[in-house]
Amino acid sequence: MTTLEGAETPTDRGSPWKGVGLLALLHLIQIPLIPLFVGWMFIGLSQLVYVVPAAIILRRKGRPDTARGIWIGAGITALLNAICFGVLCAPMMR
């Protein structure tokens, strides 16, 4: 899309909120994995299986802000996982 001066207008770069929402939907992939292994305990690590490809695909499609939102959501998930692990497992380690 070009303006009258011939300069291109910025394309839709996505939104960080779209990335966080997409990651929340991708986390639903973990639900069928619960019987196979303790999927929720290792969601911080196992999410890399789908976060890295999703972020790469979004960046290649010209949606860097949505990819950034996926990384923000992945960081929040990993931090929450670490906090919950510490709260639940710290009393058992005494």
Side-chain angles (χ1 to χ4, degrees), residues 27 30 37-52 74 77-79 81-82:
H27 281 327
Q30 298 284 341
F37 69 100
V38 187
W40 291 109
M41 285 185 65
F42 299 109
I43 192 170
L45 294 175
S46 63
Q47 74 177 342
L48 292 176
V49 172
Y50 52 88
V51 167
V52 173
T77 302
L79 286 173
N81 186 37

Side-chain angles (χ1 to χ4, degrees), residues 46-69:
S46 63
Q47 74 177 342
L48 292 176
V49 172
Y50 52 88
V51 167
V52 173
I56 290 171
I57 290 169
L58 285 168
R59 191 162 299 273
R60 285 186 182 168
K61 285 189 171 190
R63 309 247 180 201
D65 292 342
T66 305
R68 189 172 294 120

Side-chain angles (χ1 to χ4, degrees), residues 5-29:
E5 294 84 29
E8 290 193 13
T9 58
T11 59
D12 182 22
R13 296 173 46 95
S15 162
W17 288 109
K18 284 182 185 177
V20 172
L22 178 62
L23 184 68
L25 292 174
L26 287 173
H27 281 327
L28 294 176
I29 293 171

